[in-house]
Amino acid sequence: MDQSLAIRNIKMSLRILNVLLITTIVIISSCILLLFGLLVVALTVSGEKFSKLVLDSNIDISFKFNGITILLNKDIISNFVYDKSETIVLILLLMIFTLIIMSIVILLWKFVKSVIVGDVFTIRNSKRIELVAYSLLILSFLSNTVQAYLVSTVLHMFLNNNELGNIEWIQSVSFRFFDINWSILLCSFIVWTIGRIFRYGSFLQEEYDATA
């Protein structure tokens, strides 16, 4: 393949990736705005009013979580007990989690933009990659916490402990709020290593430019 054609293909792929990252930023921004709106509602609407709104609703809610489909039908919703403090903490955790993901996507977008214009091995890019690694490191500690707190909140609001105890095949329910996601932790180490390689590459590029 002609070298110029290969370069054009790479640049085209980077431009497509750039568009995808911008789209992702818009979607995540919408999610953050939605969470902020939910936080305002949780802070301003009284618990009694919110509980009445949920109990009076005639809808069935289903969502998938870690491969498990959870169905909240009318019978389950009738047991709903609103906990304002738990809801606020959950929304704040989700906002922090989403903001970290947002920062990662923005850093990747800036990195791709700089590569498109030809600035590859630079100190800025190495710092961006290292910041992505540090963000992933935080997510490795936060990911399981958010998931556990989400499940805990849903169970606490819709299923009380007595009902869980009546289910024969459930002996006990416990949540690990402080746990490490080892896959994300490994990714953070790999990305940090790439960042250090880019930093070394930027030093070599500076030496080359100085002697050229």
Side-chain angles (χ1 to χ4, degrees), residues 70-119:
I70 300 175
L71 175 63
L72 301 176
N73 55 29
K74 296 174 184 177
D75 295 331
I76 300 296
I77 291 178
S78 64
N79 298 321
F80 177 76
V81 177
Y82 180 65
D83 189 315
K84 190 169 187 175
S85 60
E86 279 192 4
T87 303
I88 292 172
V89 172
L90 176 61
I91 294 174
L92 287 174
L93 283 174
L94 289 172
M95 286 185 71
I96 293 170
F97 187 84
T98 309
L99 284 170
I100 295 173
I101 294 176
M102 178 77 155
S103 67
I104 292 174
V105 176
I106 290 174
L107 287 167
L108 290 175
W109 171 60
K110 289 182 177 180
F111 172 78
V112 170
K113 276 182 61 180
S114 66
V115 173
I116 290 174
V117 298
D119 297 329

Side-chain angles (χ1 to χ4, degrees), residues 159-208:
L159 294 173
N160 58 48
N161 293 331
N162 294 329
E163 288 179 334
L164 289 175
N166 292 331
I167 302 176
E168 294 182 359
W169 50 272
I170 296 181
Q171 294 182 347
S172 63
V173 177
S174 62
F175 299 98
R176 299 174 64 179
F177 293 106
F178 302 101
D179 198 7
I180 299 174
N181 189 315
W182 294 102
S183 298
I184 299 178
L185 183 64
L186 178 61
C187 287
S188 69
F189 177 74
I190 294 173
V191 173
W192 181 83
T193 303
I194 294 172
R196 302 306 292 185
I197 292 172
F198 266 76
R199 186 178 289 268
Y200 179 65
S202 68
F203 292 148
L204 293 180
Q205 184 69 47
E206 288 178 0
E207 287 186 7
Y208 175 80

